[in-house]
Structure formats: C-alpha cells, structure tokens
Amino acid sequence: MAPRRKNADLVHKSIWDEVSVSNVFSKHNSSSKHKYKLWKWMIAHPDVALQDVPMREWCVPKAVEKELKEGFSHFTSKVVEKSVSSRGDTTKLLIELQDGHRIETVVIQHLGHTTVCVSSQVGCQMGCRFCATGTMGIIGDLTSGEIVEQVVYANQVSKVRNVVFMGMGEPLNNYENVKLAVEFLVDSKRLGLSARHVTVSTVGVVKYMKRLTDELTNVNLALSLHAPNQEVRLKIVPAAAGHHIDKLIDAIDYHVSRSKPNKRTLMKVTSVMIEYILIKDVNDLEEHAHELGKLLAPRRKHILLNLIPYNPTDVPGQNFEPPTQDSIDRFYQICTSDEYQIFSRVRQEMGQDIAGACGQLALKNPSAVSPETVTRDIEDIGSNTNTASSGNKQSSQSVKAKSLKSTQSAPIPRASVDSSGQSCVPAATTDTTSLSSYLLQPVPIIVLLSLCAVVCRRW
C-alpha cells in the first residue's frame, strides 16, 4: 500500500483553494470582490496561465497580485491520461496530484448536458466488497482545490452541468474539503452551478449526513444502501458495522424533512437517491425486494431507488456475479408494484469499457469491450418531483408504481450512469416536454393572450 499522504506536507497551493486565496486578500486588507473576479475570469479563460491573468485591470493591490502569482499554481495536478469509451460519450481522466498520487475523474456526456463524477479521496477505507477502489485502502484526503480542479478539467472536455461525488473515496470522510468544494461549485460568484445539480454520495456516515443536510442546503444526498437489512448489508459493506441501517434511514428522513419545496410547484423535490447494487443470489432475491419495498414505502414520495446491476471487478477473494435479467426485472416490478409504489430506475452503465463504471475505479485501464446501449441519465434527481404518488400514472418521465400484472409485459426503464466510482451516479436528462405542457408555461400563455388581443381588436 502506498504511504499515507499528508495535506500539510503539500508544497504547491491551488488557486482554486478558497481558504488559502481568501487568506491572502485578508492579510493585505484587500476587498474580497477581487477574488471572485479572479475565479470567474479563470473559469472563462481556462487556457490562460495564472501569470497572465490581468489583475491590475481590476485594481488588485500589487502585494496581493505578487503573492498570488508567486505562491499559487493554476493547477496543482495534471491530467496524465485520457481514456474515451468506444461510444465516445464517456471520458475517464487519470489525474496525477502534486505528490505523485493518482485519482480518476469521469466525464459523461448526455444529450443536452454533461455530468462529472469526481473523487474526494485517494483510495477509500470503507472496503465495500463490490468496489475496486476499496482494494486500495485509504491513502489520503483531497484538498478542496484538488476537487475543484477536477471539475475545471472536466469543463475542458465538455461544459459541466451536474457534479456527483461518486468517484474514488467516501466523500463524508473528507467532509470539510468536500463542503468547501461544493460551496465553490454552487456559488453564483464562482462556478455558479445549481445546488440541485450537485449530488453527494455516501456509504452512510450518519453524523456527516446530518451536517450535509444542515450546511449544504438543497444539495442532493445519495445513500449507498445495497441491502434491505443490516445482516445482508454487513456481507457487502463492512463499514455497516459502525452505522446501523436504522440510523441511516433516520438520517434520510431528516434530510427529507429539511428539503425545501420547489418554488413553482410548492412540492418537495426528490432529494434522496437510494443506490442498490444488485448482486446475484446475495441481495437480488424476491424476499429482498419485498423487504426493501417495506423499508422505503413510507418515504417513497421523496426518494429515487436506483437499481445498479453489479459490474465485474478485480476485487480479490470475491466471486460476485451480475444478476440475471429475470431477477433484475422481478426486483424492479416488486419495488414499483401497487403494494410499495417506489419511484425506481434500473441503471445501464456507461464507461465499462474504460473501467469507468460504478465500482470500477481503481487506476486501471482495460482494453475496450462491446459498447452499451444509449439510455437516459437520472442523477439530476433534485430537478424532478416524484410524481409516482401524485396521480399522473401514465408519465414515462417518472417511473410510476404499477401493478405486477401490468409491468410484466412493459419494458423496464433504464437510466444511463455517470460511469463513476464508489457508488457512482450521474446527473439527470432533459425531459421531453409535451405540447400541452409547453403551452401551459408562463411565457407561451402571455404570447397567446397578446395574439388573441390583437386578433380581437382587428375583428
């Protein structure tokens, strides 16, 4: 195992590290507005070196400009390898940090938008038995600047709309740096992403789940549950010994209770994703589906169940196998039946041919395999309201609860994945809007009324 990294020993400071940059402006009693101009300008001009940033045009004090240009780096990391999937829609970036350690970042391009799956640690200590990253052990935490740099690199591949913390590492075990990075991403003075387009995934670190709810308002939470009870979960997620499933569900309920409603509909948005890896004969049986349905049904209005067929990995000592298509179908049908009505999707992975799919991030680059089928992206859960219980049972954009009888002949919706790491998940698709719903939008109504008024006058 590689030696543990210590952030205090890092020599170079990242210009994307808010705390370090803010300290420079405070030290010289300079206005903080300049640092926001700096970041905005660098985001708009990613290829321009830090030395060429025109700070004097913004009246930045010479002492501040000198310290920033001499003491900080545009990037403290570098992209050393880029792997593109056979379909061309998924790019995995191998990034080398300043101390020589490496991480992976996955960029997934969907129709109309792009999602980036970022890493939060080098390695991971949670040891999930299905995840290749867990075989590395924990080497160290990333700084907030190193996390933001991944998004800046991804922006150079394709403009990013969604960010998911589902790459290497357990984000909540590096909570402070993840929090700083998220604040940078969603601040309108900096990167300006919507909080509803940012998802933080966790195996279940309860105390930080509640802090995330309180301190990062409207950011989506994804829980890697993977089992309907504590006994089965311990077989898959060793870290479950310290976080009982009942406490995880309490944290989910707390997050739901604090979620703010959509300003237009006044309905609470779907703010929690439950991730469930389906492993043959381990947690994919009918009894598991019924138990999971009973567990999630009381909170079904606010969650999305993401069923993820197991991806083959090189985890030593594990003989896990992907589930059969029949078991996937049956599991889905039970969860979405009238008995449980769980808002659900079955994920179809993207990036398996470059080892960029869920559970496969471990600094490996296998040869290409056959391409997957193009499907929809679902991780932008915050922008969708869960209408499974709202009466519109015919909508194909939100998977409604249906009776087992009616679903046996219907195709199961498949959602594309962000080809990420630990619990990897991407962002959501642009929903196809029908003509009737389009005409109900505010602007078209105004236009129609104006046209009617003109016609009436002429008449």
Side-chain angles (χ1 to χ4, degrees):
M1 181 183 295
R4 182 76 184 249
R5 81 185 312 233
K6 297 179 180 179
N7 290 353
D9 296 337
L10 300 179
V11 176
H12 303 291
K13 298 178 183 177
S14 174
I15 199 66
W16 307 101
D17 187 323
E18 179 188 9
V19 174
S20 298
V21 171
S22 296
N23 287 340
V24 173
F25 282 91
S26 297
K27 173 183 174 182
H28 296 282
N29 296 317
S30 179
S31 173
S32 62
K33 68 181 182 181
H34 296 308
K35 65 182 181 183
Y36 296 112
K37 288 183 180 179
L38 169 65
W39 287 319
K40 278 286 192 182
W41 196 92
M42 295 188 69
I43 291 169
H45 305 83
D47 297 327
V48 177
L50 178 59
Q51 300 300 322
D52 297 326
V53 176
M55 298 188 195
R56 292 189 181 180
E57 294 181 9
W58 312 328
C59 299
V60 175
K62 291 183 179 180
V64 173
E65 180 181 8
K66 184 174 185 294
E67 185 166 347
L68 289 176
K69 291 186 175 181
E70 292 181 358
F72 287 78
S73 300
H74 191 168
F75 292 103
T76 59
S77 60
K78 60 182 178 181
V79 177
V80 295
E81 189 174 315
K82 183 185 296 185
S83 304
V84 181
S85 65
S86 55
R87 267 208 328 261
D89 54 8
T90 304
T91 302
K92 185 172 71 171
L93 305 177
L94 178 60
I95 297 175
E96 185 172 281
L97 308 176
Q98 61 175 289
D99 55 4
H101 291 298
R102 293 183 172 187
I103 58 171
E104 291 178 325
T105 303
V106 183
V107 185
I108 304 95
Q109 298 179 56
H110 300 279
L111 293 175
H113 73 279
T114 295
T115 295
V116 58
C117 175
V118 299
S119 295
S120 55
Q121 294 180 306
V122 183
C124 183
Q125 71 184 47
M126 306 310 277
C128 297
R129 291 191 171 36
F130 58 84
C131 182
T133 304
T135 64
M136 299 173 61
I138 182 64
I139 297 173
D141 295 334
L142 298 186
T143 66
S144 63
E146 289 170 331
I147 296 173
V148 174
E149 284 180 20
Q150 295 175 68
V151 181
V152 178
Y153 284 133
N155 252 332
Q156 295 176 17
V157 176
S158 178
K159 184 172 176 58
V160 171
R161 192 194 73 175
N162 296 58
V163 178
V164 292
F165 285 77
M166 298 175 184
M168 299 171 67
E170 163 56 58
L172 296 192
N173 280 345
N174 186 20
Y175 180 79
E176 295 300 337
N177 284 310
V178 167
K179 177 187 173 185
L180 286 170
V182 170
E183 290 172 340
F184 191 105
L185 299 177
V186 302
D187 186 356
S188 60
K189 295 180 181 179
R190 287 173 275 182
L191 201 60
L193 299 180
S194 167
R196 286 299 182 197
H197 289 165
V198 177
T199 300
V200 178
S201 176
T202 179
V203 170
V205 186
V206 175
K207 65 177 181 179
Y208 289 120
M209 289 173 69
K210 293 186 175 181
R211 279 192 63 184
L212 182 145
T213 298
D214 292 334
E215 299 173 2
L216 296 176
T217 308
N218 289 333
V219 167
N220 299 311
L221 175 65
L223 173 63
S224 297
L225 188 62
H226 307 315
N229 59 58
Q230 183 70 2
E231 181 182 358
V232 175
R233 195 164 192 264
L234 283 169
K235 297 177 181 178
I236 305 172
V237 184
H243 306 281
H244 195 277
I245 195 168
D246 292 340
K247 293 183 178 179
L248 299 183
I249 297 302
D250 287 343
I252 290 298
D253 290 340
Y254 181 75
H255 187 84
V256 167
S257 69
R258 300 296 297 270
S259 296
K260 295 181 179 180
N262 184 289
K263 292 181 180 180
R264 286 185 58 190
T265 64
L266 299 182
M267 295 175 62
K268 284 195 173 181
V269 296
T270 303
S271 58
V272 178
M273 176 184 290
I274 302 297
E275 298 170 292
Y276 195 101
I277 291 277
L278 289 168
I279 305 174
K280 184 179 180 180
D281 297 332
V282 176
N283 65 348
D284 69 334
L285 305 179
E286 290 187 20
E287 61 195 64
H288 297 137
H290 282 292
E291 192 171 0
L292 182 65
K294 292 175 183 177
L295 180 68
L296 300 182
R299 46 199 60 84
R300 62 175 175 259
K301 293 182 180 180
H302 310 293
I303 64 173
L304 167 65
L305 174 60
N306 193 21
L307 300 174
I308 311 169
Y310 169 70
N311 289 306
T313 63
D314 294 330
V315 177
Q318 298 301 333
N319 297 314
F320 290 155
E321 297 180 18
T324 65
Q325 189 58 52
D326 286 345
S327 68
I328 296 173
D329 294 349
R330 187 62 180 172
F331 202 99
Y332 168 84
Q333 290 165 0
I334 291 173
C335 291
T336 60
S337 67
D338 284 341
E339 184 176 1
Y340 304 119
Q341 303 182 43
I342 307 300
F343 183 65
S344 306
R345 285 279 195 271
V346 177
R347 173 190 292 179
Q348 175 126 9
E349 298 292 346
M350 297 170 65
Q352 284 183 331
D353 55 338
I354 54 172
C358 181
Q360 293 185 322
L361 296 191
L363 305 178
K364 295 182 179 180
N365 185 18
S367 59
V369 298
S370 59
E372 316 86 342
T373 304
V374 177
T375 47
R376 290 178 57 77
D377 174 25
I378 61 172
E379 272 65 22
D380 191 6
I381 57 177
S383 62
N384 295 326
T385 53
N386 183 352
T387 55
S389 57
S390 66
N392 181 12
K393 299 220 170 186
Q394 299 304 317
S395 172
S396 61
Q397 296 303 325
S398 54
V399 178
K400 306 300 179 263
K402 300 178 181 179
S403 67
L404 289 177
K405 180 178 180 181
S406 64
T407 54
Q408 286 173 352
S409 60
I412 292 181
R414 309 224 172 244
S416 74
V417 122
D418 252 2
S419 34
S420 24
Q422 160 221 17
S423 314
C424 92
V425 213
T429 51
T430 322
D431 292 339
T432 304
T433 311
S434 66
L435 178 61
S436 59
S437 61
Y438 174 77
L439 292 177
L440 291 176
Q441 298 300 314
V443 173
I445 288 177
I446 294 173
V447 173
L448 289 173
L449 290 175
S450 299
L451 290 173
C452 290
V454 171
V455 171
C456 289
R457 288 193 192 99
R458 292 187 176 181
W459 183 264

Tab-separated table of all heavy atoms in Angstrom, residues 276-317:
chain	number	residue	atom	x	y	z
A	276	TYR	N	-28.635	0.887	-4.978
A	276	TYR	CA	-28.740	-0.524	-4.606
A	276	TYR	C	-28.068	-1.369	-5.671
A	276	TYR	O	-28.580	-1.546	-6.770
A	276	TYR	CB	-30.219	-0.909	-4.479
A	276	TYR	CG	-30.490	-2.214	-3.753
A	276	TYR	CD1	-30.900	-2.215	-2.425
A	276	TYR	CD2	-30.349	-3.435	-4.411
A	276	TYR	CE1	-31.170	-3.408	-1.763
A	276	TYR	CE2	-30.608	-4.630	-3.757
A	276	TYR	CZ	-31.018	-4.607	-2.430
A	276	TYR	OH	-31.289	-5.796	-1.777
A	277	ILE	N	-26.867	-1.877	-5.360
A	277	ILE	CA	-26.156	-2.777	-6.260
A	277	ILE	C	-26.824	-4.150	-6.214
A	277	ILE	O	-26.971	-4.735	-5.138
A	277	ILE	CB	-24.681	-2.921	-5.828
A	277	ILE	CG1	-23.922	-1.619	-6.049
A	277	ILE	CG2	-24.013	-4.075	-6.577
A	277	ILE	CD1	-23.425	-1.406	-7.445
A	278	LEU	N	-27.242	-4.655	-7.357
A	278	LEU	CA	-27.857	-5.982	-7.424
A	278	LEU	C	-26.779	-7.026	-7.700
A	278	LEU	O	-26.131	-7.001	-8.752
A	278	LEU	CB	-28.919	-6.018	-8.524
A	278	LEU	CG	-30.209	-5.227	-8.246
A	278	LEU	CD1	-31.045	-5.105	-9.514
A	278	LEU	CD2	-31.013	-5.887	-7.130
A	279	ILE	N	-26.578	-7.927	-6.746
A	279	ILE	CA	-25.571	-8.981	-6.860
A	279	ILE	C	-26.283	-10.332	-6.834
A	279	ILE	O	-27.101	-10.596	-5.944
A	279	ILE	CB	-24.547	-8.890	-5.719
A	279	ILE	CG1	-23.909	-7.497	-5.679
A	279	ILE	CG2	-23.473	-9.958	-5.874
A	279	ILE	CD1	-22.994	-7.269	-4.494
A	280	LYS	N	-25.973	-11.171	-7.781
A	280	LYS	CA	-26.656	-12.452	-7.932
A	280	LYS	C	-26.617	-13.277	-6.648
A	280	LYS	O	-25.548	-13.525	-6.071
A	280	LYS	CB	-26.028	-13.244	-9.085
A	280	LYS	CG	-26.738	-14.562	-9.377
A	280	LYS	CD	-26.079	-15.289	-10.536
A	280	LYS	CE	-26.788	-16.615	-10.816
A	280	LYS	NZ	-26.148	-17.340	-11.943
A	281	ASP	N	-27.810	-13.686	-6.197
A	281	ASP	CA	-28.002	-14.571	-5.040
A	281	ASP	C	-27.513	-13.992	-3.719
A	281	ASP	O	-27.452	-14.703	-2.712
A	281	ASP	CB	-27.318	-15.929	-5.273
A	281	ASP	CG	-27.903	-16.689	-6.457
A	281	ASP	OD1	-29.095	-16.477	-6.748
A	281	ASP	OD2	-27.164	-17.476	-7.089
A	282	VAL	N	-27.150	-12.712	-3.714
A	282	VAL	CA	-26.707	-12.073	-2.479
A	282	VAL	C	-27.772	-11.120	-1.946
A	282	VAL	O	-28.160	-11.183	-0.768
A	282	VAL	CB	-25.381	-11.309	-2.690
A	282	VAL	CG1	-24.979	-10.555	-1.413
A	282	VAL	CG2	-24.275	-12.268	-3.097
A	283	ASN	N	-28.270	-10.241	-2.836
A	283	ASN	CA	-29.281	-9.272	-2.406
A	283	ASN	C	-30.319	-9.002	-3.486
A	283	ASN	O	-30.993	-7.972	-3.461
A	283	ASN	CB	-28.615	-7.954	-2.008
A	283	ASN	CG	-27.933	-7.272	-3.192
A	283	ASN	OD1	-27.759	-7.861	-4.258
A	283	ASN	ND2	-27.547	-6.020	-2.995
A	284	ASP	N	-30.456	-9.937	-4.448
A	284	ASP	CA	-31.364	-9.707	-5.576
A	284	ASP	C	-32.575	-10.634	-5.580
A	284	ASP	O	-33.272	-10.737	-6.591
A	284	ASP	CB	-30.599	-9.860	-6.899
A	284	ASP	CG	-30.179	-11.303	-7.181
A	284	ASP	OD1	-30.030	-12.075	-6.192
A	284	ASP	OD2	-30.008	-11.667	-8.357
A	285	LEU	N	-32.840	-11.298	-4.478
A	285	LEU	CA	-33.949	-12.242	-4.418
A	285	LEU	C	-35.270	-11.521	-4.193
A	285	LEU	O	-35.300	-10.358	-3.750
A	285	LEU	CB	-33.713	-13.266	-3.309
A	285	LEU	CG	-32.380	-14.032	-3.382
A	285	LEU	CD1	-32.265	-15.003	-2.211
A	285	LEU	CD2	-32.244	-14.753	-4.721
A	286	GLU	N	-36.379	-12.198	-4.463
A	286	GLU	CA	-37.701	-11.595	-4.284
A	286	GLU	C	-37.916	-11.165	-2.839
A	286	GLU	O	-38.520	-10.120	-2.570
A	286	GLU	CB	-38.791	-12.579	-4.721
A	286	GLU	CG	-38.842	-12.803	-6.223
A	286	GLU	CD	-40.032	-13.641	-6.639
A	286	GLU	OE1	-41.003	-13.728	-5.848
A	286	GLU	OE2	-40.013	-14.207	-7.750
A	287	GLU	N	-37.451	-11.964	-1.904
A	287	GLU	CA	-37.624	-11.620	-0.489
A	287	GLU	C	-36.909	-10.312	-0.153
A	287	GLU	O	-37.375	-9.513	0.675
A	287	GLU	CB	-37.102	-12.749	0.397
A	287	GLU	CG	-35.616	-13.027	0.218
A	287	GLU	CD	-35.192	-14.354	0.803
A	287	GLU	OE1	-35.664	-15.395	0.307
A	287	GLU	OE2	-34.396	-14.349	1.768
A	288	HIS	N	-35.762	-10.078	-0.805
A	288	HIS	CA	-35.032	-8.823	-0.587
A	288	HIS	C	-35.821	-7.642	-1.157
A	288	HIS	O	-35.865	-6.561	-0.542
A	288	HIS	CB	-33.655	-8.889	-1.249
A	288	HIS	CG	-32.758	-9.939	-0.686
A	288	HIS	ND1	-31.978	-10.758	-1.471
A	288	HIS	CD2	-32.525	-10.317	0.593
A	288	HIS	CE1	-31.290	-11.581	-0.704
A	288	HIS	NE2	-31.598	-11.336	0.553
A	289	ALA	N	-36.427	-7.837	-2.313
A	289	ALA	CA	-37.212	-6.761	-2.930
A	289	ALA	C	-38.397	-6.386	-2.057
A	289	ALA	O	-38.688	-5.197	-1.869
A	289	ALA	CB	-37.682	-7.194	-4.323
A	290	HIS	N	-39.097	-7.379	-1.520
A	290	HIS	CA	-40.247	-7.090	-0.656
A	290	HIS	C	-39.804	-6.368	0.622
A	290	HIS	O	-40.462	-5.413	1.071
A	290	HIS	CB	-40.966	-8.386	-0.298
A	290	HIS	CG	-41.843	-8.916	-1.397
A	290	HIS	ND1	-43.001	-8.267	-1.797
A	290	HIS	CD2	-41.734	-10.026	-2.181
A	290	HIS	CE1	-43.572	-8.957	-2.786
A	290	HIS	NE2	-42.827	-10.023	-3.041
A	291	GLU	N	-38.697	-6.811	1.187
A	291	GLU	CA	-38.203	-6.179	2.417
A	291	GLU	C	-37.767	-4.740	2.147
A	291	GLU	O	-38.021	-3.834	2.960
A	291	GLU	CB	-37.050	-6.994	2.990
A	291	GLU	CG	-36.669	-6.586	4.403
A	291	GLU	CD	-35.675	-7.534	5.053
A	291	GLU	OE1	-35.278	-8.534	4.401
A	291	GLU	OE2	-35.291	-7.272	6.209
A	292	LEU	N	-37.117	-4.521	1.002
A	292	LEU	CA	-36.710	-3.167	0.638
A	292	LEU	C	-37.935	-2.292	0.393
A	292	LEU	O	-37.971	-1.120	0.803
A	292	LEU	CB	-35.834	-3.204	-0.615
A	292	LEU	CG	-35.283	-1.859	-1.096
A	292	LEU	CD1	-34.312	-1.275	-0.066
A	292	LEU	CD2	-34.570	-2.008	-2.452
A	293	GLY	N	-38.946	-2.851	-0.273
A	293	GLY	CA	-40.180	-2.112	-0.520
A	293	GLY	C	-40.830	-1.648	0.779
A	293	GLY	O	-41.275	-0.498	0.900
A	294	LYS	N	-40.879	-2.523	1.759
A	294	LYS	CA	-41.474	-2.167	3.052
A	294	LYS	C	-40.657	-1.083	3.759
A	294	LYS	O	-41.215	-0.218	4.443
A	294	LYS	CB	-41.567	-3.413	3.936
A	294	LYS	CG	-42.567	-4.451	3.441
A	294	LYS	CD	-42.531	-5.717	4.296
A	294	LYS	CE	-43.493	-6.774	3.749
A	294	LYS	NZ	-43.413	-8.040	4.525
A	295	LEU	N	-39.331	-1.147	3.593
A	295	LEU	CA	-38.465	-0.172	4.243
A	295	LEU	C	-38.623	1.221	3.644
A	295	LEU	O	-38.652	2.232	4.365
A	295	LEU	CB	-37.008	-0.631	4.120
A	295	LEU	CG	-35.937	0.260	4.750
A	295	LEU	CD1	-36.064	0.241	6.273
A	295	LEU	CD2	-34.537	-0.213	4.328
A	296	LEU	N	-38.750	1.286	2.312
A	296	LEU	CA	-38.757	2.583	1.631
A	296	LEU	C	-40.157	3.159	1.407
A	296	LEU	O	-40.301	4.368	1.192
A	296	LEU	CB	-38.046	2.461	0.284
A	296	LEU	CG	-36.578	2.031	0.321
A	296	LEU	CD1	-36.012	2.003	-1.099
A	296	LEU	CD2	-35.755	2.955	1.209
A	297	ALA	N	-41.186	2.340	1.426
A	297	ALA	CA	-42.543	2.792	1.096
A	297	ALA	C	-43.009	3.996	1.915
A	297	ALA	O	-43.626	4.918	1.352
A	297	ALA	CB	-43.527	1.635	1.233
A	298	PRO	N	-42.752	4.065	3.221
A	298	PRO	CA	-43.238	5.222	4.000
A	298	PRO	C	-42.645	6.551	3.561
A	298	PRO	O	-43.186	7.611	3.870
A	298	PRO	CB	-42.809	4.873	5.438
A	298	PRO	CG	-42.683	3.389	5.447
A	298	PRO	CD	-42.150	3.047	4.093
A	299	ARG	N	-41.540	6.524	2.843
A	299	ARG	CA	-40.876	7.769	2.412
A	299	ARG	C	-40.743	7.823	0.891
A	299	ARG	O	-39.877	8.501	0.352
A	299	ARG	CB	-39.501	7.884	3.087
A	299	ARG	CG	-38.714	6.583	3.035
A	299	ARG	CD	-37.599	6.505	4.058
A	299	ARG	NE	-38.025	6.597	5.420
A	299	ARG	CZ	-38.481	5.581	6.165
A	299	ARG	NH1	-38.582	4.372	5.650
A	299	ARG	NH2	-38.831	5.783	7.405
A	300	ARG	N	-41.623	7.117	0.194
A	300	ARG	CA	-41.495	6.964	-1.253
A	300	ARG	C	-41.684	8.264	-2.030
A	300	ARG	O	-41.218	8.387	-3.159
A	300	ARG	CB	-42.496	5.929	-1.765
A	300	ARG	CG	-43.950	6.280	-1.544
A	300	ARG	CD	-44.872	5.258	-2.192
A	300	ARG	NE	-46.266	5.523	-1.883
A	300	ARG	CZ	-46.965	4.870	-0.966
A	300	ARG	NH1	-46.387	3.915	-0.260
A	300	ARG	NH2	-48.223	5.172	-0.730
A	301	LYS	N	-42.367	9.244	-1.450
A	301	LYS	CA	-42.615	10.495	-2.174
A	301	LYS	C	-41.338	11.304	-2.377
A	301	LYS	O	-41.321	12.223	-3.197
A	301	LYS	CB	-43.635	11.345	-1.425
A	301	LYS	CG	-45.028	10.752	-1.377
A	301	LYS	CD	-45.975	11.700	-0.649
A	301	LYS	CE	-47.398	11.136	-0.589
A	301	LYS	NZ	-48.322	12.047	0.113
A	302	HIS	N	-40.302	11.001	-1.638
A	302	HIS	CA	-39.124	11.865	-1.636
A	302	HIS	C	-37.835	11.156	-2.053
A	302	HIS	O	-36.759	11.745	-1.946
A	302	HIS	CB	-38.930	12.464	-0.239
A	302	HIS	CG	-40.172	13.074	0.316
A	302	HIS	ND1	-40.752	14.194	-0.233
A	302	HIS	CD2	-40.970	12.694	1.348
A	302	HIS	CE1	-41.853	14.491	0.459
A	302	HIS	NE2	-41.999	13.598	1.404
A	303	ILE	N	-37.939	9.904	-2.497
A	303	ILE	CA	-36.721	9.181	-2.839
A	303	ILE	C	-36.788	8.615	-4.256
A	303	ILE	O	-37.865	8.457	-4.826
A	303	ILE	CB	-36.440	8.022	-1.864
A	303	ILE	CG1	-37.551	6.964	-1.962
A	303	ILE	CG2	-36.265	8.522	-0.446
A	303	ILE	CD1	-37.255	5.715	-1.166
A	304	LEU	N	-35.624	8.324	-4.780
A	304	LEU	CA	-35.486	7.612	-6.040
A	304	LEU	C	-34.644	6.375	-5.768
A	304	LEU	O	-33.537	6.478	-5.237
A	304	LEU	CB	-34.794	8.485	-7.087
A	304	LEU	CG	-34.300	7.765	-8.353
A	304	LEU	CD1	-35.476	7.207	-9.141
A	304	LEU	CD2	-33.485	8.703	-9.223
A	305	LEU	N	-35.149	5.222	-6.102
A	305	LEU	CA	-34.412	3.974	-5.953
A	305	LEU	C	-33.664	3.694	-7.251
A	305	LEU	O	-34.274	3.543	-8.306
A	305	LEU	CB	-35.365	2.824	-5.626
A	305	LEU	CG	-34.742	1.420	-5.581
A	305	LEU	CD1	-33.654	1.354	-4.512
A	305	LEU	CD2	-35.828	0.372	-5.328
A	306	ASN	N	-32.356	3.626	-7.161
A	306	ASN	CA	-31.509	3.417	-8.324
A	306	ASN	C	-30.941	1.997	-8.260
A	306	ASN	O	-30.038	1.710	-7.464
A	306	ASN	CB	-30.381	4.452	-8.323
A	306	ASN	CG	-29.638	4.516	-9.637
A	306	ASN	OD1	-30.158	4.100	-10.672
A	306	ASN	ND2	-28.424	5.029	-9.604
A	307	LEU	N	-31.469	1.101	-9.064
A	307	LEU	CA	-31.031	-0.289	-9.086
A	307	LEU	C	-29.861	-0.429	-10.052
A	307	LEU	O	-29.975	-0.087	-11.229
A	307	LEU	CB	-32.183	-1.198	-9.503
A	307	LEU	CG	-33.417	-1.153	-8.584
A	307	LEU	CD1	-34.548	-1.989	-9.171
A	307	LEU	CD2	-33.067	-1.629	-7.177
A	308	ILE	N	-28.734	-0.921	-9.552
A	308	ILE	CA	-27.495	-0.958	-10.326
A	308	ILE	C	-27.011	-2.398	-10.453
A	308	ILE	O	-26.532	-2.978	-9.462
A	308	ILE	CB	-26.392	-0.114	-9.645
A	308	ILE	CG1	-26.921	1.269	-9.269
A	308	ILE	CG2	-25.161	-0.013	-10.534
A	308	ILE	CD1	-25.994	2.051	-8.360
A	309	PRO	N	-27.129	-3.016	-11.606
A	309	PRO	CA	-26.575	-4.359	-11.787
A	309	PRO	C	-25.069	-4.349	-11.518
A	309	PRO	O	-24.353	-3.443	-11.960
A	309	PRO	CB	-26.882	-4.685	-13.247
A	309	PRO	CG	-28.063	-3.812	-13.579
A	309	PRO	CD	-27.850	-2.542	-12.810
A	310	TYR	N	-24.605	-5.332	-10.797
A	310	TYR	CA	-23.197	-5.426	-10.415
A	310	TYR	C	-22.279	-5.429	-11.631
A	310	TYR	O	-22.523	-6.117	-12.615
A	310	TYR	CB	-22.982	-6.696	-9.591
A	310	TYR	CG	-21.533	-7.058	-9.346
A	310	TYR	CD1	-20.750	-6.292	-8.494
A	310	TYR	CD2	-20.955	-8.162	-9.972
A	310	TYR	CE1	-19.415	-6.619	-8.264
A	310	TYR	CE2	-19.626	-8.499	-9.753
A	310	TYR	CZ	-18.860	-7.721	-8.895
A	310	TYR	OH	-17.544	-8.045	-8.679
A	311	ASN	N	-21.208	-4.615	-11.557
A	311	ASN	CA	-20.185	-4.581	-12.607
A	311	ASN	C	-19.004	-5.445	-12.192
A	311	ASN	O	-18.508	-5.322	-11.069
A	311	ASN	CB	-19.682	-3.148	-12.827
A	311	ASN	CG	-20.711	-2.276	-13.494
A	311	ASN	OD1	-21.228	-2.622	-14.547
A	311	ASN	ND2	-21.028	-1.146	-12.886
A	312	PRO	N	-18.526	-6.318	-13.057
A	312	PRO	CA	-17.376	-7.162	-12.718
A	312	PRO	C	-16.151	-6.319	-12.360
A	312	PRO	O	-15.839	-5.336	-13.033
A	312	PRO	CB	-17.134	-7.957	-14.004
A	312	PRO	CG	-18.450	-7.947	-14.711
A	312	PRO	CD	-19.065	-6.613	-14.400
A	313	THR	N	-15.465	-6.694	-11.288
A	313	THR	CA	-14.250	-6.012	-10.856
A	313	THR	C	-13.195	-7.055	-10.508
A	313	THR	O	-13.463	-8.257	-10.500
A	313	THR	CB	-14.512	-5.127	-9.614
A	313	THR	OG1	-14.914	-5.971	-8.520
A	313	THR	CG2	-15.607	-4.106	-9.884
A	314	ASP	N	-11.999	-6.567	-10.171
A	314	ASP	CA	-10.896	-7.463	-9.818
A	314	ASP	C	-10.691	-7.516	-8.308
A	314	ASP	O	-9.567	-7.730	-7.838
A	314	ASP	CB	-9.600	-6.996	-10.491
A	314	ASP	CG	-9.676	-7.125	-12.001
A	314	ASP	OD1	-10.387	-8.015	-12.479
A	314	ASP	OD2	-9.025	-6.314	-12.692
A	315	VAL	N	-11.746	-7.310	-7.529
A	315	VAL	CA	-11.617	-7.354	-6.081
A	315	VAL	C	-11.203	-8.773	-5.675
A	315	VAL	O	-11.927	-9.739	-5.948
A	315	VAL	CB	-12.939	-6.966	-5.388
A	315	VAL	CG1	-12.790	-7.096	-3.875
A	315	VAL	CG2	-13.326	-5.542	-5.769
A	316	PRO	N	-10.056	-8.934	-5.029
A	316	PRO	CA	-9.580	-10.279	-4.681
A	316	PRO	C	-10.473	-10.957	-3.637
A	316	PRO	O	-10.994	-10.316	-2.727
A	316	PRO	CB	-8.178	-10.013	-4.123
A	316	PRO	CG	-8.193	-8.593	-3.662
A	316	PRO	CD	-9.116	-7.879	-4.594
A	317	GLY	N	-10.648	-12.262	-3.796
A	317	GLY	CA	-11.399	-13.029	-2.818
A	317	GLY	C	-12.897	-12.946	-2.962
A	317	GLY	O	-13.634	-13.521	-2.151
